[in-house]
Amino acid sequence: MNNKHTNWYKNAVIYQIYPRSFCDTNNDGLGDINGIISKLDYLKELGVNCVWLSPIYDSPQKDNGYDISNYTDIYPPFGNMNDCKKMIAEMHKRGIRLIMDLVVNHTSDKHKWFIDAIKDKNSPYRDYYYIRKGKKNGKKPPNNWKGFFGEGAWTRIEGTDEWYLHLFTKEQPDLNWENPKLREDIKNILRFWLDLGVDGFRCDVINLISKKQDFKSRFPKPALTGSDAFINGPRLHEYLHELYRDVYANYDCMTVGEAVMATSKVNISLTDPAREELDMIFNFSHTDSDNIGGVKYFYRKFKLTRFKNRLNKQQVSLEGKGWNSLFIENHDQRRSVGRFGTVEGNINSSKALGATYFFLKGTPFIYQGQEIGMRNAHFKSMDEIKDVESHNIKGILDKMPLPKKKMQQIIYDVSRDNARTPMIWDNSEFGGFSNIEPWIRLNKDKDIVNVKNALEDKNSLYYFYQEMIKFKKEHQVITDGSFKMIAINNPHIFAYVRENEDEKVVVISSFSNKPRKFKYLERLCDSDIKITNYEKHEKALQPFEVRVYLIDKK
Ligand code: ISL
Ligand code: CA
């Protein structure tokens, strides 16, 4: 068969839109599709050539759209199918492709499959989910597995002795991928969107779709009890290849899978082109470097060498074997400002971090607002936080013998809502996001950090990102060159070389607030500096200085 799947994703710079918080055009306090359309010229100007859109499907919004009740319709407050088609056309007109978020590990409990499954024991949809008899005459869950939001992974179906599996909230029942009929339905959903013109998918928690079928309790209990059964389950590769063979191969589309707790080995096996599964995955090893065991609530002091080592491992292990995604933010992570060695209020530090991740080998992603240096929300009460995860965790922590004030502060600091406050377009009352009070409060620093200010300041982070995107497009070495870390043990400086036959790029960033000497600089010429955040270059690197050198080898 003719494989239509090409490698355009290697040249993509992808901008993630969280629709709820991007731009509200009908003044209901929620972002919408028309809002996205109204900002496409802004994205074109920035230079990105692809958008990843977080879910816009119909949904009760228990988890902001990551709980889908209808895969082929739009959540009405965001717009309708015609708006969606218009958005796709307007994007394509500007040379911007679109990848949709695809959430197929679970549905909403309001999806017609699930409603039917629990209503009728003989329903063909019953086997679309994991429904099992509880222990102790149905009074206790079938096993001791735990989900990602801290709760037990089973909920009892009211008035029965049966329970259903859900790895996220109880309103997000897990789909049973063992059932071939379900897999055919999923493929049809993929085809529906590809035929409509979308260019690919960001596949939500994709490495959870296969589960070990023993459904036994695990002892002793690890923190995420049962994870050996549901992370990278036994049929994961088979299912992904099946989707590739039956769907992706017939379209020029790309896929990026969110892989929870992925090791390099898993990363290679999921992205090796010969296996025909996914084009790339999100590997969180570097964003997890400031916490213990991948649990964001157990955060620890940032250490540059740890961050460097983890990114180095991602880069080196995939060389010649698979493809990387590059990111420092998304809708689940707190903002990068003030994180990963940067300092809030110091734009140079965000430029240093920006160039550091952006020129690694792989496809860079930019999360909405990252390009203007949007900061964390600095929440002061649980009422300001809407995220179901934060509220669930708060309930659980409150029952534990832990220092209450400290735990509360941790929730404020790491809540996913830090990334979900409205995009700030200007300094008007509601930040140009809306004309009414939005669904979640605006950042208090909206008069400082907003798009209008960024566009008026030639030294803004926005223009720095614009410059980086342009540079990447103009120099193939950023896409295909080899990667080599320099001075991996240096605790203040992140430096690496990208090189192909024609060109060599050296990226050097200081993560220190003091001047730092760096021996490697002696080998380089100031006249080769193409991107930087300082006008003059001293012998030593200035605080948070970044220099991107381009050396022509011909
Ligand atoms: O954010 C997390 C923990 O705080 C992650 O564990 C996150 O839940 C995990 O990466 C899965 O995320 C994805 O699936 C979830 C959804 O809530 C997230 O927004 C989505 O990105 C369930 O669909
Ligand atoms: Ca709206």
Side-chain angles (χ1 to χ4, degrees):
M1 193 180 47
N2 189 8
N3 190 336
K4 297 213 177 71
H5 201 85
T6 68
N7 284 348
W8 64 264
Y9 62 86
K10 293 192 177 174
N11 295 306
V13 176
I14 306 184
Y15 188 92
Q16 184 192 352
I17 293 180
Y18 197 67
R20 202 173 236 278
S21 299
F22 193 58
C23 180
D24 175 21
T25 51
N26 64 346
N27 296 313
D28 60 357
L30 282 179
D32 43 57
I33 294 176
N34 281 326
I36 297 172
I37 296 173
S38 75
K39 298 298 182 189
L40 291 178
D41 286 332
Y42 167 79
L43 295 185
K44 167 107 188 122
E45 206 35 49
L46 178 61
V48 300
N49 54 15
C50 185
V51 162
W52 152 23
L53 182 56
S54 276
I56 56 169
Y57 317 94
D58 206 2
S59 155
Q61 302 286 317
K62 191 71 200 175
D63 189 16
N64 294 357
Y66 286 88
D67 49 326
I68 299 172
S69 55
N70 185 343
Y71 286 95
T72 53
D73 210 349
I74 308 293
Y75 176 53
F78 289 172
N80 58 34
M81 227 12 150
N82 279 333
D83 300 325
C84 181
K85 286 182 190 158
K86 185 170 167 214
M87 173 181 71
I88 297 172
E90 291 294 325
M91 286 178 171
H92 286 170
K93 216 157 80 187
R94 290 169 178 80
I96 298 173
R97 303 201 211 216
L98 172 65
I99 65 170
M100 298 282 277
D101 212 307
L102 196 84
V103 191
V104 287
N105 172 69
H106 45 268
T107 67
S108 158
D109 64 340
K110 298 292 181 296
H111 193 289
K112 65 177 188 317
W113 295 339
F114 188 72
I115 295 177
D116 213 66
I118 58 168
K119 200 172 65 195
D120 174 8
K121 280 206 168 183
N122 300 314
S123 160
Y125 296 112
R126 194 145 175 109
D127 194 40
Y128 272 38
Y129 296 90
Y130 288 112
I131 296 175
R132 296 285 184 281
K133 216 183 185 114
K135 287 188 179 152
K136 306 247 157 97
N137 282 328
K139 285 198 204 71
K140 291 266 184 277
N143 65 35
N144 65 354
W145 296 1
K146 271 210 177 128
F148 287 85
F149 293 161
E151 301 166 310
W154 297 89
T155 288
R156 190 172 180 173
I157 303 172
E158 233 176 272
T160 77
D161 55 6
E162 296 193 292
W163 298 59
Y164 65 89
L165 180 72
H166 57 89
L167 297 181
F168 294 89
T169 69
K170 64 181 190 323
E171 291 84 3
Q172 292 164 293
D174 275 55
L175 286 166
N176 171 19
W177 278 66
E178 299 281 316
N179 183 339
K181 285 210 191 82
L182 179 265
R183 300 205 298 277
E184 288 311 313
D185 277 345
I186 301 279
K187 288 180 213 166
N188 284 330
I189 292 167
L190 298 173
R191 291 184 191 111
F192 172 89
W193 286 102
L194 290 164
D195 289 337
L196 210 73
V198 316
D199 303 287
F201 302 99
R202 175 268 185 185
C203 313
D204 191 64
V205 289
I206 202 66
N207 66 331
L208 306 183
I209 58 175
S210 161
K211 278 101 179 162
K212 280 186 194 158
Q213 298 293 302
D214 62 78
F215 292 102
K216 285 194 183 120
S217 287
R218 299 305 197 248
F219 299 104
K221 286 203 287 185
L224 194 58
T225 317
S227 56
D228 71 284
F230 53 72
I231 297 184
N232 309 323
R235 296 182 70 185
L236 174 63
H237 294 294
E238 175 195 335
Y239 296 155
L240 290 175
H241 180 64
E242 187 178 321
L243 295 184
Y244 188 102
R245 187 196 61 204
D246 294 351
V247 185
Y248 307 142
N250 303 323
Y251 298 84
D252 188 14
C253 64
M254 67 148 267
T255 55
V256 49
E258 186 197 29
V260 182
M261 298 180 187
T263 58
S264 326
K265 212 173 126 215
V266 169
N267 201 344
I268 295 167
S269 64
L270 290 171
T271 60
D272 174 357
R275 299 175 60 113
E276 305 192 315
E277 296 180 19
L278 297 167
D279 294 322
M280 60 187 130
I281 64 156
F282 292 123
N283 179 326
F284 296 94
S285 69
H286 63 297
T287 51
D288 278 332
S289 70
D290 59 5
N291 67 44
I292 298 167
V295 183
K296 65 181 173 188
Y297 301 97
F298 302 147
Y299 69 64
R300 57 178 167 184
K301 205 165 169 277
F302 177 76
K303 226 173 125 187
L304 188 68
T305 46
R306 201 181 281 131
F307 187 66
K308 281 164 74 172
N309 272 302
R310 293 191 180 191
L311 282 168
N312 186 54
K313 195 164 174 201
Q314 290 180 18
Q315 292 282 306
V316 171
S317 63
L318 278 191
E319 182 57 41
K321 299 200 179 105
W323 192 251
N324 252 308
S325 70
L326 310 169
F327 67 98
I328 48 173
E329 291 193 12
N330 68 28
H331 66 291
D332 290 334
Q333 303 273 330
R334 61 190 183 278
R335 290 286 181 179
S336 66
V337 176
R339 199 181 175 193
F340 308 133
T342 69
V343 176
E344 196 175 293
N346 184 327
I347 208 77
N348 275 339
S349 68
S350 284
K351 290 180 180 174
L353 175 66
T356 297
Y357 95 97
F358 200 89
F359 294 126
L360 294 170
K361 189 163 187 170
T363 298
F365 288 72
I366 300 168
Y367 178 64
Q368 67 182 44
Q370 178 188 326
E371 77 281 15
I372 57 165
M374 275 186 68
R375 303 168 183 176
N376 284 320
H378 300 292
F379 294 116
K380 294 267 180 309
S381 98
M382 282 309 284
D383 296 339
E384 294 180 327
I385 295 180
K386 310 294 170 200
D387 185 16
V388 59
E389 182 197 49
S390 301
H391 286 276
N392 280 4
I393 294 287
K394 161 95 178 136
I396 291 161
L397 293 180
D398 277 352
K399 284 184 216 130
M400 292 182 175
L402 294 166
K404 293 271 174 288
K405 240 179 132 177
K406 193 167 164 220
M407 294 318 291
Q408 182 59 69
Q409 192 56 45
I410 290 177
I411 294 178
Y412 294 154
D413 291 346
V414 303
S415 170
R416 304 192 295 182
D417 277 351
N418 281 298
R420 299 175 180 186
T421 57
M423 180 76 183
I424 314 216
W425 299 97
D426 59 37
N427 58 5
S428 62
E429 189 180 4
F430 300 109
F433 166 75
S434 175
N435 289 324
I436 67 153
E437 191 73 48
W439 70 276
I440 187 168
R441 81 150 164 78
L442 292 150
N443 284 0
K444 299 246 154 87
D445 50 35
K446 72 169 176 54
D447 292 348
I448 306 164
V449 186
N450 63 57
V451 170
K452 187 165 171 278
N453 285 355
L455 295 178
E456 283 166 3
D457 171 7
K458 71 175 190 1
N459 287 320
S460 70
L461 189 61
Y462 172 90
Y463 289 117
F464 190 82
Y465 269 88
Q466 190 185 51
E467 210 183 334
M468 291 199 296
I469 296 169
K470 190 161 167 271
F471 188 79
K472 175 179 154 67
K473 280 187 193 156
E474 286 170 356
H475 300 283
Q476 189 59 22
V477 59
I478 302 298
T479 305
D480 66 18
S482 62
F483 164 88
K484 197 170 184 325
M485 192 76 98
I486 309 169
I488 191 153
N489 296 322
N490 186 309
H492 306 293
I493 292 161
F494 196 130
Y496 59 91
V497 181
R498 301 293 315 281
E499 187 165 10
N500 65 12
E501 273 181 15
D502 307 321
E503 288 178 325
K504 182 169 167 175
V505 167
V506 185
V507 180
I508 300 179
S509 307
S510 168
F511 285 79
S512 170
N513 57 8
K514 295 191 190 78
R516 294 281 168 191
K517 290 196 184 123
F518 192 48
K519 196 118 186 58
Y520 196 90
L521 292 177
E522 290 167 15
R523 303 196 206 174
L524 302 160
C525 300
D526 281 5
S527 57
D528 287 335
I529 299 176
K530 293 292 173 305
I531 298 180
T532 182
N533 54 358
Y534 274 78
E535 265 171 43
K536 279 209 193 100
H537 300 287
E538 314 283 332
K539 259 196 148 164
L541 291 170
Q542 296 308 295
F544 299 107
E545 179 171 349
V546 51
R547 301 180 187 179
V548 180
Y549 297 82
L550 174 70
I551 298 134
D552 197 339
K553 291 169 58 175
K554 280 177 291 181

